[in-house]
Amino acid sequence: MSQADRISEFRSCEVLMLKSGGAFSECMLLTKNLEVLSGYTSRIGELLESLGDGKRGRKEEKQGEEDKVLPSMSPTAKELKEGVPPPNCIEFKGVTVGAPEPSGKTRVLIRELDLRVSPGLNVLVTGPNGAGKTSIFRVLAGLWQPLAGSTSRPVDPIMWLPQDPYLVTGTLRDQVTYPMLLRNPSEEVDARVRNALLEAGLKKILDRSTVGLDQVCKEWRNELSGGERQRMAFARLFFHNPKFAVLDEATSAINAEGELSLYSKLLKTQCTIFSIAHRTALRKFHKLELEFAGDGSGGYTFYKLDANGSGVTRVKVDSSKLDMEDAE
Ligand SMILES: Nc1ncnc2c1ncn2[C@@H]1O[C@H](COP(=O)(O)OP(=O)(O)OP(=O)(O)O)[C@@H](O)[C@H]1O
Ligand SMILES: [Mg+2]
C-alpha cells in the first residue's frame, strides 16, 4: 500500500471514529429524553387512572352503593351525611406525598401530614425549593395520588393563584371575571370588576384603556408586567370572593409594599388563605406556619403565629396539640 493510500485510509478511519463518537453521544441524549418521556407517561397514566376512579366513584354513588365510592376530592354524600369530615374545611389525614422520578422510583416529600383547616385559619407554607410545598396542593386538587392518607375539600370551590397566572384572550373585563366569561354584563357587574381592579392596584390599566372594560388585547401576557399579571389574579380573587384560596408564591413579583397592601385587603374578606411563600413578612397575615424540612426525611414543623404591635411571635407547636377550632 502506497503512502497516499495509507493517508487516505487513516482519514477515513478518523472520520468514522468521529462519527461513531457523535452517534454515541446522541444515544446517551436519547436515553435521557426517553427517561423524561417515561416519567411523563407514568404521570399521565396515573392521572387517567385517577380520573377513571373518580368516574367510577360517581357512577357507584348513583347506583346507591355508597360504601364502594372511592375517595374523591369533594366530600361524598355519605361523608357529608355522617359529618366526617366536617363540611367547609380542608383536611389532610396522614398524607404522604412522593415525587415520581424518571427512574420510576418515588422520592418522599412529606410524610404523614395531618392538618385540618377550618374557616379563618390562614396557613403559611414555607420550606426550601423542591421541598413539596406545591405538591401537597397537587394532591388536594386530585392531580397526584398520595402515597398514603386522604384529603378532603370543602363544598365551596377553592381558588388557586399560581405564581404566573393565566390570562385569557378577550377583554379587560374577561381577565377579572375569568373563568366566568360574560357576554352581556350588567352595570352592577362592571362596577364590581372596576372595584376589583382598583383593589388590586391596577387603576393605571383601567386609565390606559380608551374603551374601559371592553378593551381587547390579542396577547394580554405581553401587555402586562409580571407584577401586574399577579395583581390581575388578585383582582380575580377580589371579584369572585371565594371562601378558600391557595396563593402559590402569588406575590413573588410584586414589590414588598404592594404585597402587604394586597394581603391587608385580603384579610378583610371572608377568604381563608393557604399561602406558599418565602417572604417572612407575610407571617403576620397567617395563624399557622407549616414548614417543610425539604431534607428528604418528609418531616415538617408547625408554628403558631401571633401578630402583635411589635411583630409576630412564632411558637413551635406539636401537631397533635393543634387546636384548629380557635380559628373562627
Ligand atoms: N410534574 C411533576 N412531575 C414530576 N415531578 C415533579 C413535578 N412537579 C414537581 N416535581 C418534583 O417534585 C418535587 C417537589 O416539587 P414542588 O413543586 O412541590 O416544590 P416546591 O416546594 O413547591 O418548590 P418551589 O419553592 O421551588 O416552588 C421537586 O423535586 C420536583 O422535581
Ligand atoms: Mg412551588
Side-chain angles (χ1 to χ4, degrees), residues 275-302:
S275 304
I276 303 173
H278 293 286
R279 291 189 200 158
T280 52
L282 291 182
R283 280 189 182 134
K284 65 176 177 182
F285 300 105
H286 301 83
K287 291 188 174 169
L288 190 71
E289 181 173 341
L290 165 59
E291 187 183 43
F292 283 45
D295 56 2
S297 66
Y300 61 91
T301 313
F302 280 116

Side-chain angles (χ1 to χ4, degrees), residues 75 79-80 83-91 116 118 152-154 325:
E79 283 168 338
L80 285 175
V84 182
N88 250 6
C89 74
I90 294 177
E91 195 163 37
R116 168 140 60 93
S118 305
S152 306
R153 291 194 303 188
E325 302 309 327

Side-chain angles (χ1 to χ4, degrees), residues 26 88 90 154 208 214 239 253 298 319:
E26 268 187 36
N88 250 6
I90 294 177
R208 226 160 51 204
D214 290 319
F239 176 80
S319 56

Side-chain angles (χ1 to χ4, degrees), residues 39-40 43 98-102 107 109 126-136 138 144 163 248-249 276 278 292:
Y40 284 136
R43 297 292 318 141
E101 305 227 291
R107 183 165 35 98
L109 298 171
T126 58
N129 293 124
K133 303 182 295 294
T134 302
S135 299
I136 61 163
R138 291 189 183 108
W144 282 17
Q163 192 169 5
D248 191 350
E249 304 193 27
I276 303 173
H278 293 286
F292 283 45

Side-chain angles (χ1 to χ4, degrees), residues 61-197:
E61 195 174 11
K62 266 188 200 156
Q63 289 166 348
E65 298 174 47
E66 290 180 337
D67 54 342
K68 285 189 192 161
V69 176
L70 292 158
S72 71
M73 297 315 300
S74 291
T76 61
K78 183 169 179 259
E79 283 168 338
L80 285 175
K81 203 164 74 190
E82 290 178 358
V84 182
N88 250 6
C89 74
I90 294 177
E91 195 163 37
F92 294 89
K93 272 194 273 183
V95 170
T96 298
V97 183
E101 305 227 291
S103 63
K105 287 188 189 148
T106 302
R107 183 165 35 98
V108 171
L109 298 171
I110 190 151
R111 204 177 286 281
E112 292 172 17
L113 173 67
D114 284 310
L115 174 63
R116 168 140 60 93
V117 181
S118 305
L121 185 81
N122 293 336
V123 183
L124 178 66
V125 185
T126 58
N129 293 124
K133 303 182 295 294
T134 302
S135 299
I136 61 163
F137 296 102
R138 291 189 183 108
V139 170
L140 184 69
L143 296 172
W144 282 17
Q145 281 290 321
L147 299 177
S150 62
T151 57
S152 306
R153 291 194 303 188
V155 183
D156 298 305
I158 305 170
M159 196 161 171
W160 175 273
L161 274 75
Q163 192 169 5
D164 194 2
Y166 173 71
L167 295 177
V168 65
T169 309
T171 64
L172 176 56
R173 179 188 301 102
D174 294 337
Q175 307 314 313
V176 180
T177 62
Y178 182 81
M180 200 168 89
L181 300 176
L182 307 166
R183 292 284 155 262
N184 298 303
S186 65
E187 276 185 20
E188 187 260 328
V189 167
D190 273 359
R192 280 179 46 218
V193 172
R194 272 191 213 95
N195 193 46
L197 284 166

